[in-house]
Amino acid sequence: MPGDTLQINTGKKTVENQHYDAIVIGSGISGGWAAKELCDRGLKTLVLERGRDVKHVKDYTTATKNAWEFPHRGQLPLKVKEENPVASRCYAFGEATEQFFLKDKDQPYIQEKPFDWIRPNQVGGKSLLWARQTQRWSRFDFEGPGRDGFAVDWPIRYEDIAPWYSHVELFAGISGNRDGLETLPDGEFLPPWTMNLGEKTIQQKIMSRFTDRDVVIGRCAHLTKPQAHHLHQGRSQCQARTLCERGCPFGAYFSSNAVTLPWAARTGNLTLRPHSVVHSIIYDDKQQKATGVRVIDAQTKETTEFYARIIFVNGSTLNTNLILLNSTSSRFPNGLGNDSGLLGKFVAFQNYRGQVTATMEGMQDSYYYGRRPTAVMMPNFRNVRKQEKDFLRGYMTFFTASRARWGHEVEGPQVGAAFKDAISEPGEWNVFMMMQGETIPKETNHVRLSTDQKDPYGIPQLVVSVGYDENDEKTTKDFFEQAQEMLTVAGCKTIAIKDTQQSPGLDIHEVGGVRMGKDPQTSLLNKWNQLHAVPNVFVTDGACMTSTGTQNPSITFMALTARAANYAADQLKKGEL
């Protein structure tokens, strides 16, 4: 979008300027970490959040409700679903959680190709709604693009980020087993969750037959055994309620609301401003640096400008792209820091299309008790040490085994004491397996600003043009073949595959558009997540990612953010920013 966004007249008054050491755009997983680290380093920090405020515990209004206390027993009325076709496709969108989702009408965007943009609408962002699975990347993931010749080479390696993985794991609290795998490095773990007999049976049979495959219990951001510093944060042990997306009153899973933002507030250095829709970042041609952020108040539509020495952009992947694209000036007519013309390009996601179900015979005398907030997982075993297949990269595999619960189908009369006795007994063993595939960032998968359509705040709508390619089809096909073979080896029956054909975006693991790299001609950010052309602007959410890996991405966003925030604080102290 050519022009200078500083010259745009929104028709509303500008209130008095306000100055801080640092501004963080966004209060989700990465924004919370930026705030925590910067405040810990003594920087007066303003966090801007477009949604409403949500206080830990107080504003988790459905956290302790029973199903019968909801007007529709937890289900959404048809009218709500029809009004929100995008949000309704998210598994977590329900009567108990709809208050944490941005409704479709409130943030229009243009789908040049089908793309489900799932967005939160409150302080804490998606950290209240995430699935909480936390696996470190391995050296193979950071070396992948350079080795295989796609995207650009990462400017960092595993050794650069490993200490920061430890830093965030210790503070957040990550459960897991130390498995000693090169493909899935160990972390600073709390005690792991355990597999049931069905899962252990599958584990044993797969690992006996396939020497290149490891089956381990999942790693997740839940406090299985809180340490002293977790208790000091005001958190307690996970109760395995599996009602996490309502907000956890125990603070037992990691969220910005329960952990990083309260911690930052304790320093006295945090200012949190909800209802702040970021219009653009202000660039000063004379100073040759970013000087502040222009904000539209979501309630009053008033425009305010805030100023700071450094700015962290953590608006979530696509919104971060939108903000930078809309931050135009005479120096950067095509978006802040966009000398390369690559801003908004090479967007990627993770492929969730493959699902497999099966049954298991026997083990009728075995059961398990309680719930568990994680699954069994298999780190990627395709193209790990060299290119072996006719597709690039690979996929992580997750599975669970469980017995049909109370109310399951039984044969015979559907009334009477015998019927009630039968449905109260555990049913057959069932298996669910799914893929989490790496997709290859491509220039054609991109976002850009609309030239003629704007959102309710007068900001150009985002055009999203992201889709699958032949590599994704081959990866999905391979997963189906391998899943069926592994489950057959494990003795499973009635194996069935399903291609969900879900649109990109519903994985909620979109990344890229502002990628890191070594060369300003082929990337936007350097190894410290600074814009090459505007060093006092840092991007540390999913937008910074050069590639996707096969692991859940959030712990890597956290580690990159903590690393960049401490670097920024050091540079400020030296007077170099």
Side-chain angles (χ1 to χ4, degrees), residues 28-41:
I29 278 182
S30 63
W33 269 102
K36 184 258 181 193
E37 298 296 317
L38 295 170
C39 288
D40 268 349
R41 296 295 301 269

Side-chain angles (χ1 to χ4, degrees), residues 273-277 295-304 457:
R273 193 178 193 277
H275 302 296
S276 299
V277 178
V295 169
I296 299 173
D297 189 289
Q299 297 176 308
T300 67
K301 300 293 175 68
E302 286 186 338
T303 301
T304 308
Y457 308 101

Side-chain angles (χ1 to χ4, degrees), residues 38 310 312 538 563-573 577:
L38 295 170
I310 58 172
F312 271 69
F538 295 76
R563 177 177 180 266
N566 280 275
Y567 173 79
D570 289 340
Q571 295 302 103
L572 278 177
K573 188 176 181 180
L577 280 178

Side-chain angles (χ1 to χ4, degrees), residues 514-540:
V514 197
R515 68 185 182 186
M516 297 172 70
K518 301 173 183 175
D519 184 351
Q521 297 301 311
T522 58
S523 61
L524 277 297
L525 306 170
N526 67 13
K527 66 180 181 179
W528 296 107
N529 294 78
Q530 296 168 283
L531 282 173
H532 289 298
V534 192
N536 70 325
V537 174
F538 295 76
V539 179
T540 65

Side-chain angles (χ1 to χ4, degrees), residues 469-526:
D469 62 13
E470 183 181 2
N471 198 72
D472 302 322
E473 301 297 335
K474 291 180 177 179
T475 307
T476 305
K477 180 174 181 290
D478 188 76
F479 166 74
F480 283 138
E481 293 172 351
Q482 295 307 306
Q484 291 177 93
E485 185 176 350
M486 290 188 289
L487 291 175
T488 299
V489 166
C492 296
K493 307 293 183 184
T494 58
I495 301 170
I497 65 172
K498 178 182 179 182
D499 184 343
T500 67
Q501 294 288 333
Q502 70 180 51
S503 299
L506 194 57
D507 49 296
I508 323 180
H509 288 178
E510 63 270 20
V511 298
V514 197
R515 68 185 182 186
M516 297 172 70
K518 301 173 183 175
D519 184 351
Q521 297 301 311
T522 58
S523 61
L524 277 297
L525 306 170
N526 67 13

Side-chain angles (χ1 to χ4, degrees), residues 2 36 50 93 116 122 144 187 189 210 226 272 285 302 396 411 433 446 462 468 482 498 532 551:
K36 184 258 181 193
R50 64 173 293 131
F93 186 66
D116 292 331
Q122 69 283 324
F189 294 147
F210 304 95
L272 175 63
D285 282 336
E302 286 186 338
M396 179 172 277
E411 295 180 351
M433 183 174 277
H446 73 281
L462 195 67
Y468 293 104
Q482 295 307 306
K498 178 182 179 182
H532 289 298
Q551 295 89 335

